[in-house]
Amino acid sequence: MIDDFTGRSPSRFALLIFSALILLFTLLFSLPIASSSGTSTPLADAFFTAVSVICVTGLSTVDMATHWSIVGHILVYIGVQIGAVGVLTLASILGMVISRRLGLRAKLMAASDSNPMRGHRGPVAEGQAVRLGEIGSLLATVALSLVVIEVAIAILLFPRMIIDGVPLGDAIWHSFYYSAMAFTNTGFTPNAEGLGTFANDYWFLSTLMLGVFLGALGFPVIYALKRHLFRTRFWSLHVKLTLVTTLILLFLGAGAFALLEYDNAKTFGSLNASDTVFQSIFLSMMTRSGGFASIEIADLNGSSLLVADMLMFIGGGSASTGGGIKVTTLAVIFLAALAEAKGSPDMEAFGRRIPPDVLRVALSVVLWGATIVALSCIILLQMTKAPLDHVLFDVISAFGTVGLSTGLTGELDNPAKYVLAMTMFLGRVGTVTLAAAVAASTTTRLYRRPEERPIVG
């Protein structure tokens, strides 16, 4: 029965398993053994933490460094690994390990994680970032990249921690913790001071940026780069759009932050030119989906908060550890607008034509995302009476599973915590997955209605 349900509706299966994992981790975080004080964590805080961990967001209503015991920290570490890989991909990996093979249904289930458009019933063109026959190799790449990249990042971080005076035992644990939080784009810190200890350590911050960048690319892109790193002619359109759009947003965001914050004494005003450039790049990377911060977010100018809102709403790459509407969604909409401006009937990029149904999905993603953010903002504004810029920032941070906060999240009362937790959940499962799960099965019609054009614009 479960196998049949999984095959008929991978999207609903994903929602079901995500929900079950959140409830399980809520129970585990509520246990006295998980807190450093030895007492039960309040249900609202345990639930919020569970959602933030499984959805690899990074927002918290408790001090993550001091509230949890070693058991609690281990639960956080395990939870973000599960959330980063994706429920359907993880289930397929486990099935492949157990059965030593990967059946067609398991391939289809995993494929819907690597490309949410496969979650819809009906024919799907095989010109995808990862073809169906390559799903087995992709799953192996996911498992290996998760381990190899996190270990490599930890090895790069460890010497700096020793140099900065962190005790040996803590340095080992913190290295792996930081590497996991960077690659999964979660942004939790294991030490009470957060990144304050390493705010001027550019090796440490650059290593974190590398981990966040790789995690935000998406596993299909990592798989393609592993196979054809220096042979760009073999890169798919998805890989090219993801890399180009990611780099453009990174440097545009950095330029905006440098321009808007250079005279802000609370942020970059006291820094020299090179430090301002580096910190701007770091902030631009972290507002995309990373969640680490070397400055107080509340100290940013309102204009910078708005720029950060836009970057967080876009998020990372498809099938990545980042959230948001995804960079390829933005790229497709931009290409559609460019084609309309040029009077071209087709959307084209890198010598390829993009079919119209991809644009429909992209527009649906943006509309669903904007609706979720708007509703959550209205509810929280009414509940908290907080300033709009702070509420908007934390809501988009939750939807984009970024984890940065103006300080509002830590001050929420219990009902508001549940609202923000649901925003994180909806942002992580993905708007396409959500729509596919809610919608009924696609039906085939043998007729079409007469066409008529309304006035637009």
Side-chain angles (χ1 to χ4, degrees), residues 298-426:
D299 292 337
L300 290 171
N301 292 323
S303 53
S304 297
L305 288 177
L306 186 57
V307 171
D309 290 340
M310 292 187 286
L311 293 173
M312 293 190 298
F313 186 73
I314 296 169
S318 296
S320 73
T321 58
I325 62 171
K326 305 299 189 293
V327 294
T328 43
T329 301
L330 176 69
V332 167
I333 293 176
F334 174 80
L335 291 172
L338 184 62
E340 186 66 26
K342 292 163 53 178
S344 172
D346 298 320
M347 295 181 293
E348 297 178 349
F350 300 105
R352 293 291 186 269
R353 177 174 55 85
I354 302 173
D357 62 316
V358 177
L359 176 60
R360 290 175 54 191
V361 174
L363 292 174
S364 299
V365 167
V366 174
L367 180 60
W368 276 80
T371 302
I372 292 169
V373 169
L375 290 176
S376 184
C377 277
I378 292 171
I379 295 171
L380 288 177
L381 281 168
Q382 182 64 25
M383 285 182 168
T384 64
K385 311 299 181 184
L388 173 60
D389 56 349
H390 286 195
V391 172
L392 182 63
F393 186 95
D394 279 40
V395 165
I396 296 181
S397 178
F399 171 76
T401 66
V402 178
L404 296 173
S405 175
T406 58
L408 176 68
T409 300
E411 301 172 355
L412 297 177
D413 56 14
N414 287 347
K417 291 175 184 176
Y418 290 117
V419 172
L420 201 59
M422 285 307 301
T423 306
M424 290 190 288
F425 178 78
L426 296 176

Side-chain angles (χ1 to χ4, degrees), residues 60-139:
S60 61
T61 56
V62 298
D63 190 326
M64 295 297 292
T66 60
H67 179 81
W68 304 110
S69 64
I70 185 62
V71 173
H73 284 301
I74 292 174
L75 288 174
V76 171
Y77 186 85
I78 295 173
V80 297
Q81 307 288 4
I82 296 173
V85 170
V87 173
L88 300 183
T89 299
L90 181 63
S92 301
I93 291 174
L94 293 176
M96 184 171 61
V97 170
I98 294 172
S99 65
R100 303 284 181 173
R101 66 184 183 86
L102 199 63
L104 178 60
R105 178 160 293 177
K107 288 182 179 180
L108 289 170
M109 185 173 69
S112 66
D113 243 12
S114 65
N115 186 347
M117 291 185 66
R118 295 180 186 268
H120 298 281
R121 303 193 70 174
V124 176
E126 276 302 307
Q128 310 286 358
V130 180
R131 299 178 186 274
L132 193 61
E134 300 172 346
I135 291 298
S137 299
L138 171 64
L139 295 178

Side-chain angles (χ1 to χ4, degrees), residues 10-82:
S11 301
R12 294 179 184 176
F13 178 72
L15 289 177
L16 178 64
I17 299 302
F18 250 108
S19 302
L21 281 171
I22 288 170
L23 293 177
L24 173 62
F25 273 79
T26 299
L27 174 63
L28 294 175
F29 282 127
S30 299
L31 298 176
I33 194 175
S35 70
S36 58
S37 63
T39 58
S40 296
T41 300
L43 179 60
D45 293 324
F47 177 74
F48 191 95
T49 302
V51 175
S52 187
V53 166
I54 296 300
C55 296
V56 290
T57 302
L59 289 173
S60 61
T61 56
V62 298
D63 190 326
M64 295 297 292
T66 60
H67 179 81
W68 304 110
S69 64
I70 185 62
V71 173
H73 284 301
I74 292 174
L75 288 174
V76 171
Y77 186 85
I78 295 173
V80 297
Q81 307 288 4
I82 296 173

